[in-house]
Amino acid sequence: MQMDPSNGTQGTIAVLRNFLMNRYNPQVQLLDLQNLYGDQYLLSNGLLSQDSTRSKMFPAMMKVASMDLKNVESVNLAGNNISDLTPVTTLAATFPHLKNLSLANNEISQWRHLDAWRHKFRELRELVLTGNPITGLNNYRAEILRRFPMLKMLDGQVIEGINVPEFKIRGSSPSVNSNIKKLPVSTKAGFFETPEIQSIVMDFLGKFFQVYDSDRSQLMPLYDNLSLFSLSLNTGVPRDLTARDNQGIQNWSSYIPISRNLTRVTTNNTRQNRLALGQEQISQLLHKIPPSKHDLSAPEKFAIEAWTARGLRAPDDAGIILIVHGEFEEPPQQPGRANAPSLKRSFDRTMLLLPVQATGAVLVVSDLLTVRGWAGSRAWTPR
């Protein structure tokens, strides 16, 4: 029976509901959505007659599916002329526990075309991409696993392990690393993708920490009005510290009011207020953090990782992700206790840096500082 969508929303919902029921196989929990835009039922009911209705059709279909189909484990999106996931991105929200997905015989040709579903579908076990140009790209299997780390089958082939020379790890998740059979690896104190990145980073950090410890107002040229900075406090202390290492009760009173630890700070308003945006807010927040002293004469106290990051401000940007683990001393702040010993703190700092080629300067796009109880450097001491 033909239904006219001009009858309103209810008419459209009825068409989509009927379509979904005809395309769903409850025995195998499969929703077959292949060749949607050539489907005669949808065409005859006017849902594909105009570009405006075509673009709205799939999100509307997913809305109806979320109400009517509760046990979908597999979806077939083959043959839909998909070049990127924008038109069908709502599938991830509708069926987050999907086990099997086919995108065969589409037009997906670049890795970024899949990134809308990166870290979605955390239970996905099988993915089919045969018939897409992307299958011919270098490191095909490894790049797919970076986006869907729990996969067991790709294009009908069981994934038993990744060829290590083919797989270049840069911050991959543990679930991806578990697929690599050449383990274990030795503990190392750092990683630099290239000697050039190492040179930029080491020069930057040497100057940054000296100024950070002496006069933080002088750091402001490193940030601009779009830069972000926040501090997160982690009050936990590693359980393996010896009694000699234990510094007793830690005083965190200066950090708690400015901490943006999202496991503790749960209201949106407070989270927003504790995220510093732009030079003025960053300067104010930096000056609320207690004084510090980083011992740069002891490199063994620090572990540094740095690699390329693209698209920090513009698609063609070539920036750097910088992660520093280390420790610092916090001088006593209470009057009359100038001779008291300094507190030792550990920290993790993640920064997104954008070198400015014209001037040789470095712009800090994002700066996340985590301060925690002192833990020493045993975690990255080579062994």
Side-chain angles (χ1 to χ4, degrees), residues 112-127:
R112 61 184 176 86
H113 294 160
L114 291 173
D115 285 344
W117 283 347
R118 187 170 187 167
H119 304 312
K120 310 291 185 183
F121 297 127
R122 294 181 179 273
E123 299 173 28
L124 193 67
R125 297 295 184 268
E126 181 177 6
L127 177 64

Side-chain angles (χ1 to χ4, degrees), residues 22-78:
N22 287 326
R23 289 290 194 108
Y24 179 58
N25 185 335
Q27 281 72 39
V28 294
Q29 298 177 308
L30 166 67
L31 181 59
D32 186 358
L33 300 179
Q34 64 177 316
N35 194 25
L36 284 176
Y37 301 100
D39 184 87
Q40 290 302 312
Y41 178 73
L42 295 177
L43 287 167
S44 64
N45 280 281
L47 294 189
L48 304 174
S49 59
Q50 300 176 3
D51 288 343
S52 59
T53 55
R54 286 168 62 93
S55 64
K56 296 176 182 178
M57 189 269 292
F58 192 86
M61 183 181 293
M62 290 299 97
K63 182 68 173 179
V64 175
S66 68
M67 297 184 290
D68 293 354
L69 303 178
K70 304 299 183 183
N71 298 306
V72 175
E73 288 196 352
S74 305
V75 170
N76 182 6
L77 278 170

Side-chain angles (χ1 to χ4, degrees), residues 255-275:
Y255 294 92
I256 292 174
I258 57 176
S259 172
R260 196 174 179 261
N261 185 333
L262 299 184
T263 65
R264 301 293 183 88
V265 180
T266 57
T267 64
N268 289 333
N269 188 50
T270 304
R271 288 179 173 184
Q272 186 65 35
N273 289 339
R274 295 186 184 181
L275 176 62

Side-chain angles (χ1 to χ4, degrees), residues 169-286:
I169 305 175
R170 292 195 303 190
S172 299
S173 65
S175 53
V176 172
N177 290 335
S178 66
N179 285 290
I180 301 173
K181 295 187 175 181
K182 191 176 179 180
L183 291 175
V185 296
S186 59
T187 301
K188 295 183 179 180
F191 167 79
F192 299 97
E193 184 181 29
T194 66
E196 180 185 8
I197 287 179
Q198 181 176 8
S199 176
I200 293 172
V201 163
M202 297 307 288
D203 180 65
F204 171 82
L205 287 178
K207 297 173 182 176
F208 181 88
F209 283 127
Q210 290 185 53
V211 179
Y212 183 87
D213 291 343
S214 59
D215 183 3
R216 292 173 188 165
S217 63
Q218 299 300 313
L219 293 174
M220 286 307 98
L222 295 175
Y223 303 87
D224 67 10
N225 288 331
L226 294 177
S227 298
L228 296 170
F229 172 66
S230 65
L231 177 139
S232 177
L233 173 63
N234 180 355
T235 58
V237 177
R239 295 180 180 180
D240 62 347
L241 289 181
T242 65
R244 177 178 57 83
D245 294 327
N246 196 330
Q247 297 190 88
I249 298 175
Q250 300 282 299
N251 182 0
W252 299 110
S253 59
S254 297
Y255 294 92
I256 292 174
I258 57 176
S259 172
R260 196 174 179 261
N261 185 333
L262 299 184
T263 65
R264 301 293 183 88
V265 180
T266 57
T267 64
N268 289 333
N269 188 50
T270 304
R271 288 179 173 184
Q272 186 65 35
N273 289 339
R274 295 186 184 181
L275 176 62
L277 169 64
Q279 288 180 322
E280 182 177 352
Q281 292 182 16
I282 291 173
S283 177
Q284 293 173 357
L285 181 53
L286 283 174

